[in-house]
C-alpha cells in the first residue's frame, strides 16, 4: 500500500531494527542438516568453555604454587578471542567441522562471549555446559541467508527451504532496497521450525499526533485490560482468558504420561516414547505462549492506531512476582510484555505512551472528588467513595484516573525523579506504598 502525499509530508524516514519470523517447511534431509548445525554450535560452545575453564584453573594452581601469572596467560572471552581460539583448536577437537557452515561456530563464540559478559556484570551465573536436548537454534550471518522469492529462502549448506507463509512483507522491502538482513536464527521449538530475521528497515514514522484521543489503561487479573477516557467513558474491556490456567489440565495429563517414560539420565539416552511424550508437553506450552502473545499484539495494535495518548501504570512486575499467591496469575497476564509492545508500536503509529508514577494511587483515588482511600483490598471489585458517594468498578475508576494523568503532560518518561504537580502532592503523600508495588504484602486473592 503506497503512502499518500500528505502522509509522506507528515512523516520522517528512520532506520529501525525490526524482527520478522516465519514458519518453515523443511524436507527430512534439510531437518537433518539443520540439526547438524545445532549440534555443531552446541559442541563448539562446550569445547570453548572447557578450554577457557581449564586455562583459568591451570593459572589458579600456578598462582597458588607461587608462580608468576600475567594477564596474557589467560584466554580471552571476547567474541573474536573465542573465534581465534576455535580456529586454532578445531582440527584437533572436531575434525568434522567443515560439514557445517562458518556461521555455526560464529554463533557458538558469540553466545559464549555474551554469557561471560552477563556473568561479569552480575546478571547471570558462570556459564554452564549445554546439554543435548530436543530442539535448538542456530544464528546465521547475513551472507548465509537470503530470500529467493516470497515463499522460499536459501540457507548456506542447507539449500532452498520452503516457508509455510508468504514472506512478501520482508521480500518487498529487500527488493526496494529499504531493508538489509543483519542475521537470521533458525529454531526448532515444540516440533515446529521457524526462522527469525533481524533486519535494518527504513520506515516512514509519522510525526507525533496531537493528544486529542486519550485513554488510560488499567491492567488487572479479573479483567485483563480496562480502558477509559478522561471524561469517564469506558472504551476498552478485555476479559482475562487465563491461557495457562485453561491449559493446566491438558498440561498435567501430558506431563503425567511423560513422567512414566524413560527420560534422559546421566549416561542414558531417553527412550523414543519419552521423546514423543515430551514433544506433546512442549506443544501445550507453545500453544499457551502463542495465544497469549496474539492477544497482546491485537490489543496493543488497536490502542496504538486508534488513540493519540495512552497512559499506563509503571508496575513493579518483578517485585509482584514475589507474592507466591499471585505469581502464576501475574506471569500468565504478561503485563510487562504488554507495555513493551506499546513502547515501540506507539512510535510506529505516531501516538504517545505515558507511564504514570509507580506510586500514583490510581485504584485508591476517587475519579469524581479525588479522595484517596487508605486501603483497598483486591477482593473489593467496586470502588465506593465515602466522601461523594461514587460507586464504580475499581478498574474503570483506575483507568479514568490514569487518563487524566496523561492530560497534564505528554512525556513518555515516568514521573519518578521529576517534579510533582501541586494538585498531586497531597495524593502522593497519602498514597499507600503497596498501591502499585510489592513493598507491602498483597491484601487479597485473585
Amino acid at each position: 500500500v503506497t503512502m499518500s502525499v500528505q502522509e509522506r509530508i507528515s512523516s520522517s524516514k528512520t532506520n529501525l531494527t525490526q524482527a520478522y519470523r516465519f514458519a518453515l517447511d523443511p524436507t527430512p534431509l534439510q531437518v537433518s542438516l539443520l540439526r547438524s548445525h545445532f549440534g555443531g554450535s552446541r559442541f563448539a560452545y562446550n569445547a570453548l568453555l572447557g578450554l577457557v575453564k581449564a586455562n583459568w584453573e591451570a593459572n589458579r594452581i600456578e598462582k597458588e604454587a607461587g608462580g608468576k601469572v600475567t594477564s596474557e596467560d589467560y584466554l580471552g572471552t571476547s567474541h573474536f578471542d573465542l573465534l581465534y581460539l576455535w580456529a586454532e583448536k578445531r582440527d584437533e577437537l572436531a575434525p568434522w567441522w567443515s560439514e557445517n557452515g562458518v556461521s555455526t561456530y560464529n554463533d557458538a563464540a558469540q553466545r559464549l562471549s555474551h554469557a561471560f559478559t552477563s556473568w561479569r556484570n552480575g546478571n547471570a551465573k558462570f556459564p554452564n555446559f549445554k546439554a543435548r536436548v530436543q530442539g535448538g537454534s542456530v544464528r546465521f550471518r547475513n551472507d548465509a541467508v537470503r530470500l529467493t522469492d516470497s515463499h522460499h529462502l536459501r540457507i548456506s549448506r542447507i539449500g532452498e527451504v520452503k516457508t509455510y507463509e508468504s514472506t512478501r512483507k520482508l521480500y518487498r522491502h529487500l527488493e526496494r532496497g529499504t531493508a538489509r538482513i543483519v542475521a537470521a536464527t533458525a529454531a526448532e521449538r515444540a516440533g515446529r521450525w521457524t526462522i527469525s530475521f533481524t533486519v535494518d528497515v527504513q520506515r516512514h514514522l509519522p510525526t507525533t499526533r496531537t493528544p486529542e484521543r486519550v485513554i488510560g489503561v488499567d491492567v488487572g487479573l479479573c479483567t485483563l485490560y480496562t480502558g477509559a477516557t478522561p471524561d469517564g467513558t469506558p472504551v476498552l474491556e478485555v476479559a482475562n482468558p487465563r491461557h495457562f490456567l485453561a491449559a493446566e489440565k491438558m498440561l498435567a495429563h501430558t506431563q503425567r504420561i511423560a513422567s512414566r517414560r524413560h527420560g534422559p539420565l546421566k549416561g542414558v539416552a531417553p527412550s523414543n516414547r519419552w521423546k514423543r511424550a515430551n514433544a506433546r508437553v512442549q506443544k501445550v506450552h507453545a500453544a499457551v505462549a502463542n495465544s497469549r502473545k496474539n492477544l497482546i499484539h491485537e490489543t496493543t495494535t488497536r490502542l496504538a492506531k486508534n488513540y493519540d495518548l495512552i497512559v499506563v501504570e509503571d508496575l513493579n512486575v518483578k517485585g509482584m512476582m514475589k507474592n507466591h499467591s499471585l505469581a502464576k496469575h501475574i506471569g500468565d497476564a504478561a503485563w510487562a510484555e504488554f507495555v513493551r509492545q506499546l513502547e515501540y508500536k506507539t512510535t510506529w503509529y505516531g501516538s504517545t505512551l505515558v507511564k504514570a508514577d509507580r506510586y500514583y494511587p490510581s485504584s485508591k483515588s476517587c475519579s469524581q472528588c479525588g479522595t484517596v482511600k487508605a486501603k483497598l483490598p483486591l477482593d473489593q471489585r467496586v470502588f465506593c467513595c465515602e466522601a461523594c458517594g461514587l460507586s464504580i468498578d475499581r478498574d474503570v475508576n483506575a483507568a479514568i484516573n490514569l487518563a487524566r494523568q496523561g492530560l497534564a503532560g505528554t512525556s513518555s518518561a515516568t514521573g519518578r525523579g521529576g517534579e510533582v504537580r501541586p494538585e498531586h502532592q497531597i495524593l502522593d503523600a497519602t498514597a499507600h506504598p503497596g498501591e502499585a508495588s510489592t513493598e507491602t504484602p498483597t491484601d487479597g486473592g485473585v
Side-chain angles (χ1 to χ4, degrees):
V1 180
T2 58
M3 295 180 62
S4 65
V5 176
Q6 184 63 31
E7 288 176 328
R8 289 184 182 275
I9 294 175
S10 60
S11 64
S12 59
K13 185 182 291 186
T14 308
N15 287 337
L16 298 175
T17 300
Q18 189 171 337
Y20 292 85
R21 187 173 68 169
F22 305 101
L24 294 178
D25 184 19
T27 64
L29 176 59
Q30 291 171 344
V31 168
S32 177
L33 293 173
L34 284 168
R35 286 176 177 165
S36 175
H37 282 68
F38 294 172
S41 177
R42 178 185 58 83
F43 180 88
Y45 182 99
N46 291 339
L48 290 172
L49 178 58
L51 290 173
V52 172
K53 290 183 68 174
N55 172 260
W56 289 6
E57 180 66 17
N59 289 333
R60 184 187 64 81
I61 295 175
E62 180 69 19
K63 288 180 67 176
E64 291 179 350
K68 183 179 180 181
V69 179
T70 63
S71 59
E72 287 77 12
D73 296 325
Y74 287 90
L75 291 177
T77 57
S78 69
H79 180 199
F80 290 105
D81 286 338
L82 294 174
L83 274 181
Y84 295 145
L85 179 62
W86 172 255
E88 179 185 348
K89 300 288 186 179
R90 63 189 180 187
D91 292 329
E92 175 187 349
L93 298 173
W96 42 261
W97 66 268
S98 59
E99 297 177 5
N100 301 317
V102 178
S103 295
T104 302
Y105 312 110
N106 180 75
D107 173 61
Q110 194 171 26
R111 293 190 184 195
L112 182 57
S113 175
H114 179 73
F116 275 114
T117 301
S118 299
W119 167 65
R120 286 194 177 92
N121 294 336
N123 299 325
K125 296 181 180 180
F126 190 84
N128 291 322
F129 294 103
K130 289 184 177 294
R132 185 176 182 178
V133 296
Q134 287 180 295
S137 65
V138 64
R139 185 179 176 90
F140 296 99
R141 299 187 306 187
N142 58 348
D143 56 351
V145 180
R146 64 182 179 87
L147 296 182
T148 55
D149 56 45
S150 59
H151 283 87
H152 296 84
L153 56 94
R154 180 170 291 278
I155 305 176
S156 176
R157 301 296 183 92
I158 306 296
E160 192 169 81
V161 184
K162 187 178 181 298
T163 61
Y164 270 113
E165 52 193 328
S166 174
T167 63
R168 63 182 180 274
K169 288 185 177 180
L170 175 58
Y171 186 68
R172 289 173 180 172
H173 269 298
L174 296 174
E175 276 190 320
R176 292 193 299 263
T178 57
R180 182 181 66 88
I181 295 177
V182 177
T185 302
E188 182 188 13
R189 295 285 185 271
R192 294 186 178 184
W193 291 86
T194 60
I195 188 162
S196 302
F197 292 95
T198 303
V199 186
D200 282 341
V201 184
Q202 289 183 0
R203 291 181 63 106
H204 287 274
L205 297 182
T207 56
T208 303
R209 301 192 297 258
T210 304
E212 298 176 355
R213 295 167 295 177
V214 181
I215 184 173
V217 181
D218 179 72
V219 296
L221 296 178
C222 293
T223 303
L224 192 56
Y225 310 120
T226 303
T229 57
D231 60 5
T233 305
V235 292
L236 175 69
E237 184 177 356
V238 178
N240 190 353
R242 302 178 187 271
H243 296 105
F244 184 76
L245 294 183
E248 270 192 321
K249 187 175 181 180
M250 177 60 70
L251 183 62
H253 175 69
T254 55
Q255 288 177 332
R256 191 180 306 114
I257 294 175
S259 68
R260 295 168 180 168
R261 306 289 187 256
H262 291 287
L265 298 173
K266 188 174 183 179
V268 180
S271 67
N272 290 330
R273 298 183 73 205
W274 178 87
K275 291 180 180 178
R276 291 193 294 268
N278 189 55
R280 289 193 289 268
V281 175
Q282 292 179 0
K283 286 183 178 179
V284 175
H285 280 295
V288 170
N290 292 337
S291 299
R292 181 188 299 122
K293 188 169 290 186
N294 181 67
L295 177 61
I296 296 175
H297 272 296
E298 290 179 345
T299 308
T300 52
T301 301
R302 172 185 170 188
L303 290 171
K305 283 184 176 181
N306 298 328
Y307 293 94
D308 306 322
L309 181 62
I310 306 165
V311 189
V312 296
E313 294 176 286
D314 181 26
L315 296 176
N316 181 15
V317 178
K318 184 177 180 180
M320 289 180 172
M321 293 290 286
K322 296 179 182 178
N323 184 336
H324 299 296
S325 300
L326 299 177
K328 179 170 65 175
H329 305 283
I330 294 173
D332 194 18
W335 294 334
E337 175 65 13
F338 174 76
V339 176
R340 186 192 73 84
Q341 291 190 16
L342 276 178
E343 286 177 343
Y344 71 82
K345 288 185 180 181
T346 49
T347 304
W348 288 2
Y349 298 110
S351 48
T352 303
L353 176 66
V354 174
K355 294 181 183 178
D357 184 80
R358 178 167 293 184
Y359 297 100
Y360 172 64
S362 58
S363 297
K364 297 188 178 80
S365 301
C366 177
S367 58
Q368 183 166 289
C369 67
T371 303
V372 181
K373 284 179 173 288
K375 195 173 184 181
L376 185 64
L378 285 177
D379 57 358
Q380 186 176 333
R381 305 311 305 169
V382 178
F383 181 91
C384 298
C385 181
E386 293 80 4
C388 64
L390 176 67
S391 181
I392 188 175
D393 181 87
R394 65 175 289 157
D395 294 335
V396 175
N397 179 70
I400 296 172
N401 288 327
L402 289 172
R404 291 172 180 170
Q405 280 286 102
L407 288 177
T410 58
S411 172
S412 59
T414 64
R416 294 178 60 81
E419 295 182 359
V420 180
R421 295 188 297 278
E423 62 269 23
H424 288 137
Q425 289 178 356
I426 299 177
L427 299 182
D428 291 341
T430 57
H432 191 274
E435 166 63 22
S437 64
T438 53
E439 275 73 6
T440 55
T442 308
D443 298 310
V446 178

